Amino acid sequence: MVEGISATTWFPSLEPSDCSLCAEARARLSPEGTEVAGEIAVDLVARAMVGSVLRAVISHLSRALAPGRVSLLVPETAGTWRVFASSAEHETHDLVVYSDRYPELLETSRTSTPFVAADVGMAGELRTARDVLEKAGVKSLATYPIFRTSPSAESAVLKVSFYRPARDEHLALATLVAHLLLHRLSRVPLAEVASQLGLPAPPETAAATQLRLLPLPALVLDASGQVLSTNARARWLLREREPAGSGELPRLRLRPDQMWETHGSRWEAALLRGQDEVEVLGWSASLPGDRHLVLLEPHPEARRRVRERAIRRTLAEKLRELEKANVLLAEHARVRDRFVSDAAHELKTPVAILRPYLEALSDDLAAGLSEQQLEFVRAAAHGAKRLQRLTEELLDLAALGSGHLPLSLGPVSIRTAIDAVIDELEPLALAAQVTLRHDDVAEVLVRADDERLRQILRNLLENGLKYTHPPGAVTVAVQSGDDHAVVSVCDTGVGIPAASLPHIFEEFVRVPGNNLSDGSGLGLAIVRRLVFAMGGRVWAESQAGTGSRFFVELPLWTGEG
Ligand code: ADP
């Protein structure tokens, strides 16, 4: 046995490019050895048949290590070995050797690891064979297990006898070639190698048939956790990622990285092949011959992760679409505001000229008009007044939308503003036969634009009067908190149906069947934008048939503009 090499490291499931044993041996080679190893590596790939690969390797190696002999022996019955191929011409298939005369075979087979004796005279394990070795002129010896049908089965052995003391570089070459051979054979299905070497079929061939019948993804593992065979359903777990036509067996890596033996009968693992990996849950049961039957299912966490990834991808896509739509919407809104503002500007002057003429006509010059003419002129004056108000509202809205409405924020007394607006609207209230009053309002200073705050109050109070039948009431109250004040305008009017309530602050929205008077549906939209512009918020509560309550919250004046 060679120190540091266990059966599991010698029989690895790694590719030669990742194999540290191969790398170490390669580092010890002489330049000629490197050349020979290169030639052999080419042969290993180029030849398809196992027998042909073995014979080519034996012939290359014996030439490189001459004088010496290279043979491949396969286990026959307990304690006997048959020579499968040899560089010595007289040794044929018929030659059977006995392990008592070849203790190195017994040693290699027992440990499933290489046995290397640089000086046969010094190796204790070779004591019984010393005479034979001396007579044959063998100075150094190395035996390497290169294939076994199961971890408990005897191995086929590559044996190198040196007829002169072997230098380290020679032993390194033998070790490297043996391990490359082992890698090569591990890529061929076990049953195929066994049949070509004349060995009994591996036990997992029978298990493979049973595996195929199982309705779940399943594997058979050996005692070291190496996958011996899989069924189609287990391969299907990796199917989407499998390179077409790859017959390579997957590996199972337990999570967390622990030895297979330390695990109970249920565990988490990753099923790996090449770069591909799938998380699985496994249940294992023992099979005869130190093997395990493993049933697998995709790990639910992994499924969740896959689902999450899909959701995240969809979300990101939708978000991008939304962002694009938002940009488009903002652009459209800009174009619309610009158009509204331009149109309102164009209307403003002619309407401003028209209205006083029509009013003068209907009031001062009425005497010269017939009853019908007067009715027409009054209707025209009323229309001009509405048009002027609409123009002003549109200009306000456009200015607020583009952020161009100049606001002069400062300390404003709510009580003074409320008193002034109530005074202003008193005649309207009288005409509507609706009581307009305020509760005791404390002197509170809010941070606002005085003129615009009055516009807000005017709008809400006018609405209250407009949508309240006589003899109703519109009441204004104020409540102040730590850093804000809330003005409420409460009426006993027609109310707003629940379906319309969330929309009444939108532009041009009027509650269907609710409009007792003229209006544009812009008043509340302007109120909302003005309140926002002053750093406040606005909302409404209402019950159809009972009345409405509008709230405006504004920050208290703190002494800072
Ligand atoms: P309008 O010029 O039509 O009054 P507003 O934007 O001020 O426009 O109001 C939008 C709509 O909300 C009104 O048309 C009306 O249907 C409804 N509304 C507003 N205030 C009240 C209220 N106090 N009571 C009932 N409905 C109201």
Side-chain angles (χ1 to χ4, degrees):
M1 184 168 119
V2 181
E3 218 165 282
I5 301 182
S6 69
T8 12
T9 46
W10 182 253
F11 278 101
S13 45
L14 294 169
E15 286 299 306
S17 51
D18 302 326
C19 174
S20 59
L21 276 180
C22 289
E24 275 163 27
R26 207 172 263 121
R28 285 157 48 204
L29 293 182
S30 65
E32 299 82 58
T34 306
E35 206 168 300
V36 175
E39 282 165 19
I40 291 178
V42 170
D43 254 333
L44 285 174
V45 180
R47 289 171 195 262
M49 300 300 287
V50 171
S52 152
V53 167
L54 290 169
R55 274 183 275 275
V57 167
I58 287 170
S59 115
H60 272 301
L61 199 57
S62 64
R63 250 180 285 128
L65 299 178
R69 178 189 298 180
V70 183
S71 338
L72 184 87
L73 298 111
V74 291
E76 183 103 324
T77 54
T80 66
W81 300 77
R82 188 166 43 80
V83 178
F84 177 83
S86 170
S87 58
E89 272 153 22
H90 61 277
E91 288 186 352
T92 67
H93 266 89
D94 303 329
L95 190 70
V96 172
V97 298
Y98 295 86
S99 53
D100 50 356
R101 293 187 61 202
Y102 293 85
E104 68 277 13
L105 291 180
L106 207 58
E107 190 61 23
T108 296
S109 157
R110 187 179 60 78
T111 59
S112 278
T113 57
F115 173 81
V116 176
D119 178 353
V120 295
M122 302 293 288
E125 295 89 339
L126 301 177
R127 232 177 11 255
T128 54
R130 206 158 281 155
D131 287 351
V132 182
L133 290 168
E134 218 162 86
K135 225 178 276 167
V138 177
K139 305 284 185 233
S140 307
L141 192 71
T143 45
Y144 303 95
I146 57 154
F147 172 78
R148 56 185 179 175
T149 52
S150 80
S152 52
E154 304 253 32
S155 303
V157 173
L158 183 74
K159 174 175 167 176
V160 185
S161 308
F162 298 84
Y163 296 144
R164 62 170 178 198
R167 286 206 301 274
D168 182 61
E169 65 209 46
H170 297 134
L171 294 173
L173 180 63
T175 306
L176 175 64
V177 169
H179 215 227
L180 288 174
L181 196 55
L182 183 149
H183 283 301
R184 172 69 177 86
L185 295 183
S186 70
R187 285 205 299 277
V188 182
L190 273 175
E192 196 180 316
V193 183
S195 100
Q196 295 220 18
L197 293 181
L199 289 169
E204 57 272 19
T205 325
T209 317
Q210 290 159 9
L211 269 191
R212 224 176 303 135
L213 300 174
L214 277 173
L216 293 169
L219 310 168
V220 172
L221 303 180
D222 68 16
S224 68
Q226 192 173 337
V227 177
L228 300 174
S229 50
T230 60
N231 68 1
R233 282 166 200 270
R235 289 193 294 278
W236 185 83
L237 286 178
L238 285 162
R239 189 173 64 173
E240 283 174 350
R241 308 163 184 88
E242 180 181 359
S246 147
E248 193 189 330
L249 282 170
R251 286 178 293 127
L252 202 63
R253 191 199 298 138
L254 300 185
R255 296 203 186 285
D257 282 335
Q258 284 179 34
M259 291 298 289
W260 156 251
E261 287 86 351
T262 64
H263 273 264
S265 60
R266 185 181 183 284
W267 31 260
E268 296 179 13
L271 196 59
L272 309 155
R273 182 172 32 217
Q275 299 295 309
D276 305 321
E277 181 168 339
V278 60
E279 305 278 332
V280 291
L281 279 183
W283 289 266
S284 58
S286 297
L287 288 177
D290 222 2
R291 288 166 308 131
H292 301 271
L293 171 68
V294 173
L295 302 181
L296 300 173
E297 70 158 288
H299 198 298
E301 276 290 298
R303 265 196 227 154
R304 189 177 58 79
R305 275 199 291 270
V306 167
R307 259 206 312 274
E308 267 178 16
R309 262 203 299 276
I311 291 172
R312 265 203 297 277
R313 248 200 319 275
T314 318
L315 264 176
E317 253 167 47
K318 294 284 167 221
L319 219 70
R320 269 197 300 278
E321 281 172 22
L322 223 74
E323 272 165 15
K324 264 195 219 156
N326 260 340
V327 170
L328 220 69
L329 227 82
E331 181 57 29
H332 283 209
R334 249 198 313 280
V335 172
R336 188 203 56 193
D337 284 352
R338 178 78 164 272
F339 171 76
V340 168
S341 152
D342 288 353
H345 264 297
E346 290 301 319
L347 275 174
K348 195 178 161 185
T349 318
V351 171
I353 296 168
L354 202 63
R355 186 182 159 191
Y357 279 129
L358 289 169
E359 279 175 357
L361 210 60
S362 68
D363 296 342
D364 310 336
L365 306 171
L369 300 175
S370 72
E371 197 55 37
Q372 200 182 25
Q373 284 170 329
L374 193 61
E375 199 180 310
F376 287 160
V377 171
R378 282 202 181 119
H382 181 68
K385 191 175 165 192
R386 279 190 62 196
L387 205 58
Q388 194 175 29
R389 176 149 185 184
L390 179 67
T391 317
E392 279 161 9
E393 283 180 339
L394 285 173
L395 283 170
D396 274 357
L397 207 64
L400 280 161
S402 60
H404 289 139
L405 189 86
L407 286 180
S408 124
L409 296 175
V412 176
S413 154
I414 291 197
R415 194 167 65 184
T416 312
I418 291 173
D419 283 344
V421 177
I422 285 184
D423 281 352
E424 199 183 311
L425 297 182
E426 199 50 59
L428 211 65
L430 272 175
Q433 296 170 36
V434 173
T435 316
L436 181 59
R437 59 161 184 260
H438 65 72
D439 286 349
D440 271 347
V441 174
E443 179 60 282
V444 182
L445 288 184
V446 288
R447 181 175 164 275
D449 178 314
D450 193 13
E451 194 37 54
R452 296 297 178 180
L453 177 60
R454 286 175 197 218
Q455 184 181 347
I456 292 167
L457 292 170
R458 195 178 301 120
N459 221 309
L460 296 177
L461 292 177
E462 265 178 4
N463 275 354
L465 294 174
K466 268 196 307 195
Y467 300 109
T468 302
H469 292 293
V474 176
T475 315
V476 189
V478 177
Q479 273 190 326
S480 49
D482 288 347
D483 56 358
H484 62 270
V486 179
V487 185
S488 65
V489 177
C490 173
D491 65 55
T492 57
V494 294
I496 301 164
S500 301
L501 196 59
H503 305 291
I504 52 165
F505 290 101
E506 292 166 17
E507 287 122 39
F508 301 107
V509 167
R510 308 196 73 207
V511 177
N514 201 7
N515 296 297
L516 306 177
S517 68
D518 303 334
S520 58
L522 286 178
L524 288 181
I526 293 173
V527 164
R528 187 181 64 158
R529 290 203 190 185
L530 279 174
V531 174
F532 278 0
M534 293 189 212
R537 57 190 191 109
V538 59
W539 68 99
E541 292 168 0
S542 185
Q543 207 160 17
T546 309
S548 312
R549 194 187 284 263
F550 285 79
F551 300 90
V552 173
E553 183 186 286
L554 287 169
L556 288 183
W557 173 252
T558 55
E560 289 161 33

mmCIF file of all heavy atoms in Angstrom, residues 112-149:
data_model
loop_
_atom_site.group_PDB
_atom_site.id
_atom_site.type_symbol
_atom_site.label_atom_id
_atom_site.label_comp_id
_atom_site.label_asym_id
_atom_site.label_seq_id
_atom_site.Cartn_x
_atom_site.Cartn_y
_atom_site.Cartn_z
ATOM 1 N N SER A 112 -7.221 -2.559 -2.102
ATOM 2 C CA SER A 112 -7.736 -1.788 -3.244
ATOM 3 C C SER A 112 -6.920 -0.526 -3.473
ATOM 4 O O SER A 112 -7.448 0.502 -3.897
ATOM 5 C CB SER A 112 -9.212 -1.396 -3.054
ATOM 6 O OG SER A 112 -10.024 -2.455 -3.418
ATOM 7 N N THR A 113 -5.622 -0.577 -3.139
ATOM 8 C CA THR A 113 -4.741 0.571 -3.369
ATOM 9 C C THR A 113 -3.452 0.054 -4.019
ATOM 10 O O THR A 113 -3.166 -1.147 -3.981
ATOM 11 C CB THR A 113 -4.359 1.274 -2.045
ATOM 12 O OG1 THR A 113 -3.752 0.303 -1.204
ATOM 13 C CG2 THR A 113 -5.552 1.884 -1.352
ATOM 14 N N PRO A 114 -2.643 0.941 -4.606
ATOM 15 C CA PRO A 114 -1.394 0.501 -5.226
ATOM 16 C C PRO A 114 -0.418 -0.061 -4.184
ATOM 17 O O PRO A 114 -0.450 0.344 -3.015
ATOM 18 C CB PRO A 114 -0.822 1.782 -5.835
ATOM 19 C CG PRO A 114 -1.940 2.750 -5.875
ATOM 20 C CD PRO A 114 -2.868 2.380 -4.777
ATOM 21 N N PHE A 115 0.415 -0.994 -4.648
ATOM 22 C CA PHE A 115 1.512 -1.494 -3.800
ATOM 23 C C PHE A 115 2.801 -1.202 -4.569
ATOM 24 O O PHE A 115 2.954 -1.629 -5.715
ATOM 25 C CB PHE A 115 1.360 -2.995 -3.563
ATOM 26 C CG PHE A 115 2.550 -3.581 -2.837
ATOM 27 C CD1 PHE A 115 2.662 -3.470 -1.454
ATOM 28 C CD2 PHE A 115 3.565 -4.225 -3.549
ATOM 29 C CE1 PHE A 115 3.756 -3.995 -0.796
ATOM 30 C CE2 PHE A 115 4.659 -4.738 -2.884
ATOM 31 C CZ PHE A 115 4.762 -4.633 -1.503
ATOM 32 N N VAL A 116 3.726 -0.428 -3.941
ATOM 33 C CA VAL A 116 4.952 -0.061 -4.651
ATOM 34 C C VAL A 116 6.156 -0.421 -3.777
ATOM 35 O O VAL A 116 6.222 -0.015 -2.613
ATOM 36 C CB VAL A 116 4.977 1.449 -4.978
ATOM 37 C CG1 VAL A 116 6.294 1.841 -5.630
ATOM 38 C CG2 VAL A 116 3.821 1.807 -5.909
ATOM 39 N N ALA A 117 7.060 -1.221 -4.328
ATOM 40 C CA ALA A 117 8.295 -1.553 -3.600
ATOM 41 C C ALA A 117 9.469 -1.114 -4.482
ATOM 42 O O ALA A 117 9.746 -1.746 -5.511
ATOM 43 C CB ALA A 117 8.354 -3.045 -3.329
ATOM 44 N N ALA A 118 10.118 0.007 -4.116
ATOM 45 C CA ALA A 118 11.253 0.503 -4.910
ATOM 46 C C ALA A 118 12.417 -0.475 -4.800
ATOM 47 O O ALA A 118 13.213 -0.651 -5.722
ATOM 48 C CB ALA A 118 11.657 1.886 -4.441
ATOM 49 N N ASP A 119 12.497 -1.170 -3.639
ATOM 50 C CA ASP A 119 13.540 -2.176 -3.439
ATOM 51 C C ASP A 119 12.861 -3.427 -2.879
ATOM 52 O O ASP A 119 12.424 -3.433 -1.718
ATOM 53 C CB ASP A 119 14.578 -1.622 -2.452
ATOM 54 C CG ASP A 119 15.676 -2.650 -2.170
ATOM 55 O OD1 ASP A 119 15.535 -3.807 -2.628
ATOM 56 O OD2 ASP A 119 16.644 -2.295 -1.475
ATOM 57 N N VAL A 120 12.750 -4.467 -3.714
ATOM 58 C CA VAL A 120 11.972 -5.638 -3.285
ATOM 59 C C VAL A 120 12.592 -6.319 -2.066
ATOM 60 O O VAL A 120 11.899 -6.940 -1.267
ATOM 61 C CB VAL A 120 11.783 -6.675 -4.424
ATOM 62 C CG1 VAL A 120 10.956 -6.106 -5.544
ATOM 63 C CG2 VAL A 120 13.110 -7.187 -4.942
ATOM 64 N N GLY A 121 13.918 -6.154 -1.905
ATOM 65 C CA GLY A 121 14.605 -6.763 -0.776
ATOM 66 C C GLY A 121 14.189 -6.156 0.551
ATOM 67 O O GLY A 121 14.308 -6.776 1.605
ATOM 68 N N MET A 122 13.706 -4.924 0.525
ATOM 69 C CA MET A 122 13.369 -4.213 1.761
ATOM 70 C C MET A 122 11.884 -4.349 2.142
ATOM 71 O O MET A 122 11.511 -4.025 3.260
ATOM 72 C CB MET A 122 13.669 -2.704 1.598
ATOM 73 C CG MET A 122 15.094 -2.368 1.251
ATOM 74 S SD MET A 122 16.194 -2.785 2.622
ATOM 75 C CE MET A 122 15.745 -1.495 3.767
ATOM 76 N N ALA A 123 11.030 -4.799 1.197
ATOM 77 C CA ALA A 123 9.581 -4.807 1.466
ATOM 78 C C ALA A 123 9.186 -6.051 2.239
ATOM 79 O O ALA A 123 9.324 -7.174 1.750
ATOM 80 C CB ALA A 123 8.812 -4.748 0.151
ATOM 81 N N GLY A 124 8.702 -5.842 3.485
ATOM 82 C CA GLY A 124 8.310 -6.952 4.352
ATOM 83 C C GLY A 124 7.230 -7.810 3.722
ATOM 84 O O GLY A 124 7.226 -9.037 3.866
ATOM 85 N N GLU A 125 6.287 -7.160 3.014
ATOM 86 C CA GLU A 125 5.153 -7.891 2.438
ATOM 87 C C GLU A 125 5.617 -8.937 1.431
ATOM 88 O O GLU A 125 4.893 -9.890 1.127
ATOM 89 C CB GLU A 125 4.203 -6.932 1.708
ATOM 90 C CG GLU A 125 3.502 -5.913 2.588
ATOM 91 C CD GLU A 125 4.305 -4.626 2.763
ATOM 92 O OE1 GLU A 125 5.547 -4.649 2.546
ATOM 93 O OE2 GLU A 125 3.712 -3.607 3.146
ATOM 94 N N LEU A 126 6.863 -8.752 0.859
ATOM 95 C CA LEU A 126 7.323 -9.649 -0.214
ATOM 96 C C LEU A 126 8.219 -10.774 0.307
ATOM 97 O O LEU A 126 8.832 -11.508 -0.477
ATOM 98 C CB LEU A 126 8.070 -8.838 -1.289
ATOM 99 C CG LEU A 126 7.259 -7.720 -1.965
ATOM 100 C CD1 LEU A 126 8.121 -6.957 -2.946
ATOM 101 C CD2 LEU A 126 6.038 -8.296 -2.666
ATOM 102 N N ARG A 127 8.339 -10.862 1.646
ATOM 103 C CA ARG A 127 9.248 -11.829 2.265
ATOM 104 C C ARG A 127 9.119 -13.222 1.647
ATOM 105 O O ARG A 127 10.097 -13.804 1.201
ATOM 106 C CB ARG A 127 8.927 -11.905 3.765
ATOM 107 C CG ARG A 127 10.140 -11.721 4.630
ATOM 108 C CD ARG A 127 9.805 -11.734 6.118
ATOM 109 N NE ARG A 127 8.461 -12.161 6.442
ATOM 110 C CZ ARG A 127 7.490 -11.315 6.819
ATOM 111 N NH1 ARG A 127 7.737 -10.018 6.914
ATOM 112 N NH2 ARG A 127 6.303 -11.768 7.110
ATOM 113 N N THR A 128 7.895 -13.713 1.557
ATOM 114 C CA THR A 128 7.688 -15.106 1.119
ATOM 115 C C THR A 128 8.089 -15.328 -0.332
ATOM 116 O O THR A 128 8.338 -16.449 -0.757
ATOM 117 C CB THR A 128 6.212 -15.507 1.282
ATOM 118 O OG1 THR A 128 5.437 -14.521 0.589
ATOM 119 C CG2 THR A 128 5.778 -15.560 2.732
ATOM 120 N N ALA A 129 8.129 -14.227 -1.122
ATOM 121 C CA ALA A 129 8.399 -14.384 -2.563
ATOM 122 C C ALA A 129 9.812 -13.947 -2.926
ATOM 123 O O ALA A 129 10.151 -13.875 -4.104
ATOM 124 C CB ALA A 129 7.390 -13.563 -3.350
ATOM 125 N N ARG A 130 10.631 -13.664 -1.889
ATOM 126 C CA ARG A 130 11.933 -13.048 -2.160
ATOM 127 C C ARG A 130 12.796 -13.920 -3.077
ATOM 128 O O ARG A 130 13.421 -13.417 -4.012
ATOM 129 C CB ARG A 130 12.638 -12.739 -0.832
ATOM 130 C CG ARG A 130 13.609 -11.594 -0.986
ATOM 131 C CD ARG A 130 13.911 -10.936 0.331
ATOM 132 N NE ARG A 130 12.879 -10.027 0.772
ATOM 133 C CZ ARG A 130 12.653 -9.700 2.035
ATOM 134 N NH1 ARG A 130 13.384 -10.266 2.994
ATOM 135 N NH2 ARG A 130 11.729 -8.845 2.349
ATOM 136 N N ASP A 131 12.811 -15.246 -2.828
ATOM 137 C CA ASP A 131 13.641 -16.163 -3.646
ATOM 138 C C ASP A 131 13.224 -16.112 -5.105
ATOM 139 O O ASP A 131 14.049 -15.990 -6.002
ATOM 140 C CB ASP A 131 13.486 -17.608 -3.151
ATOM 141 C CG ASP A 131 14.229 -17.785 -1.831
ATOM 142 O OD1 ASP A 131 14.966 -16.821 -1.470
ATOM 143 O OD2 ASP A 131 14.033 -18.827 -1.185
ATOM 144 N N VAL A 132 11.917 -16.215 -5.320
ATOM 145 C CA VAL A 132 11.392 -16.214 -6.693
ATOM 146 C C VAL A 132 11.778 -14.926 -7.394
ATOM 147 O O VAL A 132 12.226 -14.936 -8.543
ATOM 148 C CB VAL A 132 9.847 -16.358 -6.679
ATOM 149 C CG1 VAL A 132 9.286 -16.407 -8.084
ATOM 150 C CG2 VAL A 132 9.440 -17.564 -5.866
ATOM 151 N N LEU A 133 11.601 -13.787 -6.664
ATOM 152 C CA LEU A 133 11.873 -12.481 -7.265
ATOM 153 C C LEU A 133 13.356 -12.369 -7.622
ATOM 154 O O LEU A 133 13.733 -11.876 -8.681
ATOM 155 C CB LEU A 133 11.489 -11.351 -6.288
ATOM 156 C CG LEU A 133 9.975 -11.193 -6.077
ATOM 157 C CD1 LEU A 133 9.683 -10.258 -4.885
ATOM 158 C CD2 LEU A 133 9.312 -10.637 -7.340
ATOM 159 N N GLU A 134 14.202 -12.858 -6.708
ATOM 160 C CA GLU A 134 15.645 -12.780 -6.920
ATOM 161 C C GLU A 134 16.043 -13.588 -8.155
ATOM 162 O O GLU A 134 16.793 -13.118 -9.016
ATOM 163 C CB GLU A 134 16.356 -13.345 -5.691
ATOM 164 C CG GLU A 134 17.608 -12.549 -5.363
ATOM 165 C CD GLU A 134 18.038 -12.832 -3.938
ATOM 166 O OE1 GLU A 134 18.766 -13.822 -3.763
ATOM 167 O OE2 GLU A 134 17.607 -12.094 -3.028
ATOM 168 N N LYS A 135 15.463 -14.809 -8.223
ATOM 169 C CA LYS A 135 15.772 -15.683 -9.350
ATOM 170 C C LYS A 135 15.348 -15.030 -10.667
ATOM 171 O O LYS A 135 16.042 -15.109 -11.681
ATOM 172 C CB LYS A 135 15.028 -17.024 -9.182
ATOM 173 C CG LYS A 135 15.951 -18.197 -9.492
ATOM 174 C CD LYS A 135 15.240 -19.512 -9.289
ATOM 175 C CE LYS A 135 15.282 -19.947 -7.804
ATOM 176 N NZ LYS A 135 14.334 -21.049 -7.543
ATOM 177 N N ALA A 136 14.184 -14.318 -10.636
ATOM 178 C CA ALA A 136 13.690 -13.682 -11.861
ATOM 179 C C ALA A 136 14.406 -12.362 -12.142
ATOM 180 O O ALA A 136 14.212 -11.763 -13.189
ATOM 181 C CB ALA A 136 12.193 -13.440 -11.731
ATOM 182 N N GLY A 137 15.242 -11.899 -11.189
ATOM 183 C CA GLY A 137 15.994 -10.654 -11.397
ATOM 184 C C GLY A 137 15.171 -9.404 -11.181
ATOM 185 O O GLY A 137 15.505 -8.314 -11.665
ATOM 186 N N VAL A 138 14.045 -9.516 -10.433
ATOM 187 C CA VAL A 138 13.191 -8.331 -10.206
ATOM 188 C C VAL A 138 13.770 -7.483 -9.075
ATOM 189 O O VAL A 138 14.008 -7.973 -7.983
ATOM 190 C CB VAL A 138 11.742 -8.777 -9.855
ATOM 191 C CG1 VAL A 138 10.870 -7.565 -9.544
ATOM 192 C CG2 VAL A 138 11.155 -9.580 -11.003
ATOM 193 N N LYS A 139 14.024 -6.207 -9.363
ATOM 194 C CA LYS A 139 14.621 -5.309 -8.355
ATOM 195 C C LYS A 139 13.554 -4.417 -7.705
ATOM 196 O O LYS A 139 13.639 -4.089 -6.533
ATOM 197 C CB LYS A 139 15.678 -4.394 -9.011
ATOM 198 C CG LYS A 139 16.751 -5.144 -9.744
ATOM 199 C CD LYS A 139 17.732 -5.758 -8.758
ATOM 200 C CE LYS A 139 18.900 -6.407 -9.502
ATOM 201 N NZ LYS A 139 19.076 -7.790 -9.080
ATOM 202 N N SER A 140 12.612 -3.964 -8.519
ATOM 203 C CA SER A 140 11.527 -3.114 -7.990
ATOM 204 C C SER A 140 10.209 -3.651 -8.537
ATOM 205 O O SER A 140 10.200 -4.334 -9.565
ATOM 206 C CB SER A 140 11.675 -1.659 -8.440
ATOM 207 O OG SER A 140 12.946 -1.173 -8.134
ATOM 208 N N LEU A 141 9.131 -3.238 -7.832
ATOM 209 C CA LEU A 141 7.843 -3.824 -8.184
ATOM 210 C C LEU A 141 6.719 -2.822 -7.893
ATOM 211 O O LEU A 141 6.786 -2.089 -6.901
ATOM 212 C CB LEU A 141 7.660 -5.031 -7.262
ATOM 213 C CG LEU A 141 6.566 -6.005 -7.568
ATOM 214 C CD1 LEU A 141 6.932 -6.799 -8.824
ATOM 215 C CD2 LEU A 141 6.424 -6.967 -6.387
ATOM 216 N N ALA A 142 5.746 -2.782 -8.775
ATOM 217 C CA ALA A 142 4.575 -1.927 -8.471
ATOM 218 C C ALA A 142 3.320 -2.596 -9.009
ATOM 219 O O ALA A 142 3.307 -3.108 -10.130
ATOM 220 C CB ALA A 142 4.733 -0.553 -9.113
ATOM 221 N N THR A 143 2.269 -2.643 -8.179
ATOM 222 C CA THR A 143 0.991 -3.198 -8.644
ATOM 223 C C THR A 143 -0.104 -2.157 -8.389
ATOM 224 O O THR A 143 -0.110 -1.518 -7.326
ATOM 225 C CB THR A 143 0.631 -4.500 -7.902
ATOM 226 O OG1 THR A 143 0.869 -4.306 -6.514
ATOM 227 C CG2 THR A 143 1.438 -5.667 -8.405
ATOM 228 N N TYR A 144 -0.996 -2.004 -9.380
ATOM 229 C CA TYR A 144 -2.048 -0.981 -9.272
ATOM 230 C C TYR A 144 -3.401 -1.601 -9.581
ATOM 231 O O TYR A 144 -3.582 -2.188 -10.656
ATOM 232 C CB TYR A 144 -1.804 0.135 -10.296
ATOM 233 C CG TYR A 144 -0.450 0.791 -10.152
ATOM 234 C CD1 TYR A 144 0.628 0.360 -10.937
ATOM 235 C CD2 TYR A 144 -0.255 1.835 -9.256
ATOM 236 C CE1 TYR A 144 1.869 0.950 -10.818
ATOM 237 C CE2 TYR A 144 0.991 2.443 -9.139
ATOM 238 C CZ TYR A 144 2.053 1.994 -9.924
ATOM 239 O OH TYR A 144 3.266 2.585 -9.803
ATOM 240 N N PRO A 145 -4.364 -1.452 -8.660
ATOM 241 C CA PRO A 145 -5.714 -1.909 -8.998
ATOM 242 C C PRO A 145 -6.293 -0.939 -10.035
ATOM 243 O O PRO A 145 -6.171 0.277 -9.864
ATOM 244 C CB PRO A 145 -6.491 -1.816 -7.687
ATOM 245 C CG PRO A 145 -5.732 -0.861 -6.843
ATOM 246 C CD PRO A 145 -4.313 -0.826 -7.330
ATOM 247 N N ILE A 146 -6.864 -1.437 -11.114
ATOM 248 C CA ILE A 146 -7.386 -0.488 -12.119
ATOM 249 C C ILE A 146 -8.871 -0.678 -12.425
ATOM 250 O O ILE A 146 -9.478 0.163 -13.065
ATOM 251 C CB ILE A 146 -6.588 -0.555 -13.443
ATOM 252 C CG1 ILE A 146 -6.627 -1.984 -13.982
ATOM 253 C CG2 ILE A 146 -5.189 -0.034 -13.306
ATOM 254 C CD1 ILE A 146 -6.453 -1.994 -15.474
ATOM 255 N N PHE A 147 -9.443 -1.761 -11.944
ATOM 256 C CA PHE A 147 -10.867 -1.952 -12.216
ATOM 257 C C PHE A 147 -11.445 -2.978 -11.256
ATOM 258 O O PHE A 147 -10.795 -3.967 -10.919
ATOM 259 C CB PHE A 147 -11.051 -2.445 -13.666
ATOM 260 C CG PHE A 147 -12.471 -2.839 -13.965
ATOM 261 C CD1 PHE A 147 -13.422 -1.863 -14.213
ATOM 262 C CD2 PHE A 147 -12.864 -4.172 -13.978
ATOM 263 C CE1 PHE A 147 -14.746 -2.211 -14.461
ATOM 264 C CE2 PHE A 147 -14.183 -4.520 -14.225
ATOM 265 C CZ PHE A 147 -15.123 -3.535 -14.474
ATOM 266 N N ARG A 148 -12.680 -2.708 -10.795
ATOM 267 C CA ARG A 148 -13.372 -3.708 -9.966
ATOM 268 C C ARG A 148 -14.867 -3.575 -10.248
ATOM 269 O O ARG A 148 -15.360 -2.479 -10.564
ATOM 270 C CB ARG A 148 -13.073 -3.482 -8.482
ATOM 271 C CG ARG A 148 -13.419 -2.087 -8.026
ATOM 272 C CD ARG A 148 -13.001 -1.829 -6.602
ATOM 273 N NE ARG A 148 -13.365 -0.453 -6.255
ATOM 274 C CZ ARG A 148 -13.240 0.084 -5.063
ATOM 275 N NH1 ARG A 148 -12.712 -0.609 -4.074
ATOM 276 N NH2 ARG A 148 -13.608 1.322 -4.840
ATOM 277 N N THR A 149 -15.553 -4.683 -10.151
ATOM 278 C CA THR A 149 -16.981 -4.635 -10.484
ATOM 279 C C THR A 149 -17.806 -4.113 -9.315
ATOM 280 O O THR A 149 -18.922 -3.642 -9.514
ATOM 281 C CB THR A 149 -17.512 -6.022 -10.897
ATOM 282 O OG1 THR A 149 -17.138 -6.953 -9.885
ATOM 283 C CG2 THR A 149 -16.950 -6.453 -12.239
#
